[in-house]
Amino acid sequence: MSSPDIASILENSRELDRLRKDQEEVLVEINKLHKKLQATPEVVEKPGDSSLSKLKTLYIQARDLSEKEVTISNLLLSQLDTFLPSGPPGQQRRRMDGNDQKRKRMKSDSDISRLSPSIRSHIEACVSLKDEQVAARVTSDAEKDEWFVVKVINFDEKTKEFEVLDEEPGDDEEGGGQRKYKLPASCIIPFPKRNDPSSTQEFPAGRQVLAVYPGTTALYKATVISTPRKRKSDEYLLEFDDDEEDGALPQRTVPFHKVVPLPEGHRQ
């Protein structure tokens, strides 16, 4: 093996390392955006928000880097094949066939491993909500958003839509029976796990939240007065907006698993 050939192989190896580092940096940014969108999915509906376009750009960068990695990997394989001892024609052909298949798998596996972990985890999280109760924005007009407790029936991985069931529609609902809706992920907020309060985010006093009003399946904007930890219980003490009685806002207790972050831009 001549020095120029060795130099070329080493340079391609360094380029492969650079590509992988670039991929890791892009994946970090993708994961940051995924976390942001999972925490505040409603942000994509704000005028001027560029979260989705940024995410698309990052996906394109990740794909391009992945394809470059496959190209450099194949080049390195070809360079190394040149210096490997060759066997009988039949053996050499079988080895080449195996390499071709391996390279195809490498490209496919690389695309999946580089792009799919966060996407897959997000989809799995959505799928896992089946049969769970969640907060859902089922109506939205120019004046207000209406959030209700609904049950997830299904999550369509192709359309990225939830099919949900409003099990207890209000008396003013047409038909009076249970109603089904198909909603995008931006209209769904999972409730904290009832049986795992220790892993649940606790909202501090003074924080505005969205909470289920006692005795109903509707969620309204409220302010935290006292936290479960401070109360040494599993309930928040809240003051709901527009809940005035005798000129004052009564303080009401709500279980921690019925309190979620207030969506940005919420209208009530």
Side-chain angles (χ1 to χ4, degrees), residues 110-163:
S110 180
D111 287 343
I112 294 172
S113 63
R114 297 296 179 183
L115 293 177
S116 68
S118 296
I119 300 172
R120 184 170 62 248
S121 64
H122 173 65
I123 292 176
E124 287 174 352
C126 292
V127 172
S128 70
L129 291 174
K130 184 177 180 181
D131 296 326
E132 296 281 343
Q133 285 190 329
V134 298
R137 189 182 69 201
V138 297
T139 60
S140 177
D141 55 38
E143 296 181 356
K144 63 180 180 178
D145 301 326
E146 293 186 340
W147 290 80
F148 297 104
V149 178
V150 299
K151 180 180 179 180
V152 175
I153 300 174
N154 185 50
F155 175 72
D156 190 320
E157 297 182 30
K158 292 183 179 180
T159 64
K160 303 298 185 293
E161 285 186 327
F162 285 91
E163 184 178 4

Coordinates of all heavy atoms in Angstrom, one line a residue, residues 110-163:
S110 N -28.7 3.9 8.6 CA -28.2 5.2 8.9 C -29.3 6.2 8.9 O -29.4 7.0 9.8 CB -27.1 5.6 8.0 OG -26.6 6.9 8.3
D111 N -30.1 6.2 7.9 CA -31.3 7.1 7.8 C -32.2 6.9 9.0 O -32.6 7.9 9.6 CB -32.1 6.8 6.5 CG -31.4 7.3 5.3 OD1 -30.4 8.1 5.4 OD2 -31.7 6.9 4.2
I112 N -32.5 5.7 9.4 CA -33.4 5.4 10.5 C -32.7 5.9 11.8 O -33.3 6.6 12.6 CB -33.7 3.9 10.5 CG1 -34.6 3.6 9.3 CG2 -34.5 3.6 11.8 CD1 -34.8 2.1 9.2
S113 N -31.5 5.4 12.0 CA -30.8 5.7 13.3 C -30.5 7.2 13.5 O -30.6 7.7 14.6 CB -29.5 4.9 13.4 OG -28.6 5.4 12.4
R114 N -30.3 7.9 12.4 CA -30.0 9.3 12.5 C -31.2 10.2 12.6 O -31.1 11.3 13.2 CB -29.1 9.8 11.3 CG -27.8 9.1 11.2 CD -26.9 9.4 12.3 NE -25.6 8.7 12.2 CZ -24.7 8.8 13.2 NH1 -24.9 9.5 14.3 NH2 -23.5 8.1 13.0
L115 N -32.3 9.8 12.0 CA -33.5 10.7 12.0 C -34.6 10.2 12.9 O -35.4 11.0 13.3 CB -34.0 10.7 10.5 CG -33.1 11.4 9.5 CD1 -33.7 11.3 8.1 CD2 -32.8 12.8 9.9
S116 N -34.7 8.9 13.2 CA -35.9 8.4 13.8 C -36.0 8.4 15.3 O -37.1 8.3 15.8 CB -36.2 7.1 13.2 OG -35.3 6.1 13.6
P117 N -34.9 8.3 16.1 CA -35.1 8.1 17.5 C -36.0 9.1 18.2 O -37.0 8.7 18.9 CB -33.7 8.3 18.1 CG -32.8 7.8 16.9 CD -33.5 8.4 15.7
S118 N -35.8 10.4 18.0 CA -36.7 11.4 18.6 C -38.1 11.3 18.0 O -39.1 11.4 18.7 CB -36.1 12.8 18.4 OG -34.9 12.9 19.1
I119 N -38.2 11.2 16.7 CA -39.5 11.1 16.0 C -40.2 9.8 16.5 O -41.4 9.9 16.8 CB -39.3 11.0 14.5 CG1 -38.6 12.3 14.0 CG2 -40.7 10.9 13.8 CD1 -38.2 12.2 12.5
R120 N -39.5 8.7 16.5 CA -40.1 7.5 17.0 C -40.6 7.6 18.4 O -41.7 7.1 18.8 CB -39.1 6.3 16.8 CG -39.7 5.0 17.2 CD -38.8 3.8 16.8 NE -37.5 3.9 17.5 CZ -36.4 4.1 17.0 NH1 -36.3 4.4 15.7 NH2 -35.3 4.1 17.7
S121 N -39.7 8.2 19.3 CA -40.1 8.3 20.7 C -41.4 9.2 20.8 O -42.2 9.0 21.7 CB -39.0 8.9 21.5 OG -38.7 10.2 21.1
H122 N -41.4 10.3 20.0 CA -42.6 11.1 20.0 C -43.9 10.4 19.6 O -44.9 10.5 20.2 CB -42.4 12.3 19.1 CG -43.6 13.2 19.0 ND1 -44.1 13.9 20.0 CD2 -44.4 13.5 17.9 CE1 -45.2 14.6 19.6 NE2 -45.4 14.3 18.3
I123 N -43.7 9.6 18.5 CA -44.9 8.8 18.0 C -45.3 7.8 19.1 O -46.5 7.6 19.3 CB -44.5 8.1 16.7 CG1 -44.4 9.2 15.6 CG2 -45.6 7.1 16.3 CD1 -44.0 8.7 14.2
E124 N -44.3 7.1 19.7 CA -44.6 6.1 20.7 C -45.3 6.7 21.9 O -46.2 6.1 22.5 CB -43.3 5.4 21.1 CG -42.8 4.5 20.1 CD -41.4 3.9 20.5 OE1 -40.8 4.4 21.5 OE2 -40.9 3.0 19.8
A125 N -44.9 7.9 22.2 CA -45.6 8.6 23.3 C -47.0 8.9 23.0 O -47.9 8.8 23.8 CB -44.8 9.9 23.7
C126 N -47.3 9.3 21.7 CA -48.6 9.6 21.3 C -49.5 8.3 21.3 O -50.6 8.3 21.8 CB -48.6 10.2 19.9 SG -48.0 11.9 19.9
V127 N -48.9 7.2 20.8 CA -49.6 6.0 20.7 C -49.9 5.5 22.1 O -51.0 4.9 22.4 CB -48.7 4.9 20.0 CG1 -49.4 3.5 20.1 CG2 -48.6 5.3 18.5
S128 N -49.0 5.7 23.1 CA -49.2 5.2 24.4 C -50.3 5.9 25.2 O -50.7 5.4 26.2 CB -47.9 5.4 25.2 OG -47.7 6.8 25.5
L129 N -50.8 7.0 24.6 CA -51.9 7.7 25.2 C -53.3 7.0 25.0 O -54.3 7.5 25.5 CB -52.0 9.1 24.8 CG -50.8 10.0 25.2 CD1 -50.9 11.4 24.5 CD2 -50.8 10.2 26.7
K130 N -53.3 6.0 24.2 CA -54.6 5.3 23.9 C -55.2 4.8 25.2 O -54.6 4.3 26.1 CB -54.3 4.1 23.0 CG -55.6 3.4 22.6 CD -55.3 2.2 21.6 CE -56.6 1.5 21.2 NZ -56.4 0.4 20.3
D131 N -56.5 5.1 25.3 CA -57.4 4.8 26.4 C -57.1 5.7 27.6 O -57.7 5.5 28.7 CB -57.2 3.3 26.9 CG -57.7 2.4 25.8 OD1 -58.7 2.7 25.1 OD2 -57.2 1.3 25.6
E132 N -56.2 6.7 27.5 CA -55.9 7.6 28.6 C -56.8 8.9 28.4 O -57.2 9.2 27.3 CB -54.4 8.0 28.5 CG -53.5 6.9 28.8 CD -53.3 6.6 30.3 OE1 -53.8 7.4 31.1 OE2 -52.8 5.5 30.6
Q133 N -57.0 9.5 29.5 CA -57.7 10.8 29.5 C -56.7 11.9 29.3 O -55.6 11.8 29.9 CB -58.5 11.0 30.8 CG -59.8 10.2 30.9 CD -60.6 10.7 32.1 OE1 -60.1 11.2 33.1 NE2 -62.0 10.6 31.9
V134 N -57.0 12.8 28.4 CA -56.1 14.0 28.2 C -56.9 15.2 28.1 O -58.2 15.2 28.1 CB -55.4 13.8 26.8 CG1 -54.5 12.5 26.8 CG2 -56.4 13.7 25.6
A135 N -56.2 16.4 28.1 CA -56.9 17.7 27.9 C -56.9 17.9 26.4 O -55.8 17.7 25.8 CB -56.1 18.8 28.7
A136 N -58.0 18.3 25.9 CA -58.1 18.6 24.4 C -58.8 19.9 24.2 O -59.8 20.2 24.8 CB -58.8 17.4 23.8
R137 N -58.2 20.6 23.2 CA -58.9 21.8 22.7 C -59.8 21.4 21.6 O -59.4 21.2 20.4 CB -57.9 22.8 22.3 CG -58.6 24.2 22.0 CD -57.5 25.2 21.5 NE -57.0 24.8 20.1 CZ -55.9 25.2 19.6 NH1 -55.1 26.0 20.3 NH2 -55.5 24.8 18.4
V138 N -61.1 21.3 21.9 CA -62.0 20.7 20.8 C -62.7 21.8 20.0 O -63.2 21.6 18.9 CB -63.1 19.9 21.5 CG1 -62.5 18.6 22.1 CG2 -63.9 20.6 22.5
T139 N -62.7 23.1 20.5 CA -63.2 24.2 19.8 C -62.3 25.4 20.0 O -61.6 25.5 21.0 CB -64.6 24.6 20.3 OG1 -64.5 25.0 21.7 CG2 -65.6 23.5 20.1
S140 N -62.2 26.2 18.9 CA -61.4 27.4 19.0 C -62.0 28.4 18.0 O -62.1 28.1 16.8 CB -59.9 27.1 18.6 OG -59.2 28.3 18.6
D141 N -62.3 29.6 18.5 CA -62.8 30.6 17.7 C -62.1 31.9 18.0 O -61.1 31.9 18.7 CB -64.3 30.8 17.9 CG -64.7 31.1 19.3 OD1 -63.9 31.8 20.0 OD2 -65.8 30.6 19.7
A142 N -62.5 33.0 17.4 CA -61.8 34.3 17.5 C -61.8 34.8 18.9 O -61.0 35.6 19.3 CB -62.4 35.3 16.6
E143 N -62.7 34.3 19.8 CA -62.9 34.8 21.1 C -62.3 34.0 22.2 O -61.7 34.5 23.1 CB -64.4 35.1 21.4 CG -65.0 36.1 20.5 CD -66.5 36.3 20.9 OE1 -67.0 35.6 21.7 OE2 -67.1 37.2 20.2
K144 N -62.4 32.6 22.1 CA -61.9 31.8 23.2 C -61.6 30.4 22.7 O -62.0 29.9 21.7 CB -63.0 31.7 24.3 CG -64.3 31.1 23.9 CD -65.2 31.0 25.0 CE -66.6 30.4 24.6 NZ -67.5 30.3 25.7
D145 N -60.7 29.7 23.5 CA -60.4 28.3 23.4 C -61.2 27.5 24.4 O -61.2 27.9 25.6 CB -58.9 28.1 23.5 CG -58.1 28.9 22.5 OD1 -58.5 29.1 21.4 OD2 -57.0 29.3 22.9
E146 N -61.7 26.4 24.0 CA -62.4 25.5 25.0 C -61.7 24.2 25.1 O -61.5 23.5 24.1 CB -63.9 25.3 24.5 CG -64.7 26.6 24.6 CD -66.2 26.3 24.3 OE1 -66.5 25.3 23.7 OE2 -67.0 27.2 24.6
W147 N -61.3 23.9 26.3 CA -60.6 22.7 26.6 C -61.4 21.7 27.5 O -62.0 22.2 28.5 CB -59.3 23.0 27.4 CG -58.2 23.6 26.5 CD1 -58.2 25.0 26.2 CD2 -57.1 23.0 25.9 NE1 -57.1 25.2 25.4 CE2 -56.4 24.0 25.2 CE3 -56.6 21.7 25.9 CZ2 -55.2 23.8 24.5 CZ3 -55.4 21.5 25.1 CH2 -54.8 22.5 24.5
F148 N -61.4 20.5 27.1 CA -62.2 19.5 27.9 C -61.4 18.2 28.1 O -60.4 17.9 27.5 CB -63.5 19.1 27.1 CG -64.4 20.2 26.9 CD1 -64.5 20.8 25.6 CD2 -65.2 20.7 27.9 CE1 -65.4 21.9 25.4 CE2 -66.1 21.8 27.7 CZ -66.2 22.4 26.4
V149 N -61.8 17.4 29.1 CA -61.3 16.1 29.4 C -61.9 15.1 28.4 O -63.1 15.0 28.3 CB -61.5 15.6 30.8 CG1 -60.9 14.2 31.0 CG2 -61.0 16.6 31.8
V150 N -61.0 14.5 27.6 CA -61.5 13.5 26.6 C -60.7 12.2 26.8 O -59.6 12.2 27.4 CB -61.4 14.0 25.2 CG1 -62.2 15.2 25.0 CG2 -59.9 14.3 24.8
K151 N -61.2 11.2 26.2 CA -60.4 9.9 26.2 C -59.9 9.6 24.8 O -60.6 9.8 23.8 CB -61.4 8.7 26.6 CG -60.8 7.4 26.6 CD -61.8 6.3 27.0 CE -61.2 4.9 27.0 NZ -62.2 3.9 27.4
V152 N -58.6 9.2 24.7 CA -57.9 8.9 23.5 C -58.4 7.6 23.0 O -58.2 6.6 23.7 CB -56.4 9.0 23.6 CG1 -55.8 8.5 22.3 CG2 -56.0 10.4 24.0
I153 N -58.9 7.5 21.8 CA -59.3 6.2 21.2 C -58.2 5.7 20.3 O -58.0 4.5 20.3 CB -60.6 6.4 20.3 CG1 -61.8 6.9 21.2 CG2 -61.0 5.1 19.6 CD1 -63.0 7.3 20.4
N154 N -57.6 6.6 19.6 CA -56.6 6.1 18.7 C -55.7 7.2 18.2 O -56.1 8.4 18.3 CB -57.2 5.5 17.4 CG -56.2 4.9 16.5 OD1 -55.3 4.1 16.9 ND2 -56.3 5.2 15.2
F155 N -54.4 6.9 17.9 CA -53.5 7.9 17.3 C -53.1 7.4 15.9 O -52.5 6.3 15.8 CB -52.3 8.1 18.1 CG -51.3 9.0 17.5 CD1 -51.5 10.4 17.4 CD2 -50.1 8.6 17.0 CE1 -50.6 11.3 16.8 CE2 -49.2 9.4 16.4 CZ -49.4 10.8 16.3
D156 N -53.4 8.1 14.8 CA -53.1 7.7 13.5 C -51.7 8.2 13.2 O -51.4 9.4 13.1 CB -54.1 8.4 12.5 CG -54.0 7.8 11.1 OD1 -52.8 7.6 10.7 OD2 -55.0 7.6 10.4
E157 N -50.7 7.2 13.0 CA -49.3 7.6 12.8 C -49.1 8.2 11.4 O -48.1 8.9 11.2 CB -48.5 6.3 12.9 CG -48.5 5.7 14.3 CD -47.6 4.5 14.5 OE1 -46.6 4.5 13.8 OE2 -47.9 3.6 15.3
K158 N -50.0 8.0 10.5 CA -49.9 8.6 9.1 C -50.3 10.1 9.1 O -49.6 10.9 8.6 CB -50.6 7.8 8.1 CG -50.1 6.4 7.9 CD -50.9 5.7 6.8 CE -50.3 4.3 6.5 NZ -51.1 3.6 5.4
T159 N -51.5 10.3 9.7 CA -52.0 11.7 9.6 C -51.5 12.5 10.9 O -51.7 13.7 10.9 CB -53.5 11.7 9.6 OG1 -54.0 11.1 10.8 CG2 -54.0 10.9 8.4
K160 N -51.0 11.8 11.9 CA -50.5 12.4 13.1 C -51.7 13.1 13.8 O -51.6 14.1 14.5 CB -49.4 13.5 12.9 CG -48.2 12.9 12.2 CD -47.5 11.9 13.0 CE -46.2 11.4 12.3 NZ -46.4 10.7 11.1
E161 N -52.9 12.4 13.7 CA -54.1 13.0 14.4 C -54.5 12.0 15.5 O -54.4 10.8 15.4 CB -55.2 13.2 13.4 CG -55.0 14.4 12.5 CD -56.2 14.6 11.6 OE1 -56.9 13.7 11.2 OE2 -56.5 15.8 11.4
F162 N -55.1 12.6 16.5 CA -55.7 11.8 17.6 C -57.2 11.7 17.3 O -57.9 12.7 16.9 CB -55.5 12.5 19.0 CG -54.2 12.4 19.5 CD1 -53.2 13.4 19.3 CD2 -53.8 11.3 20.4 CE1 -51.9 13.3 19.8 CE2 -52.6 11.2 20.9 CZ -51.6 12.2 20.6
E163 N -57.8 10.5 17.6 CA -59.2 10.3 17.6 C -59.6 10.3 19.1 O -59.1 9.4 19.8 CB -59.7 9.1 16.9 CG -61.2 8.9 16.8 CD -61.6 7.7 16.1 OE1 -60.8 6.9 15.6 OE2 -62.9 7.5 15.9

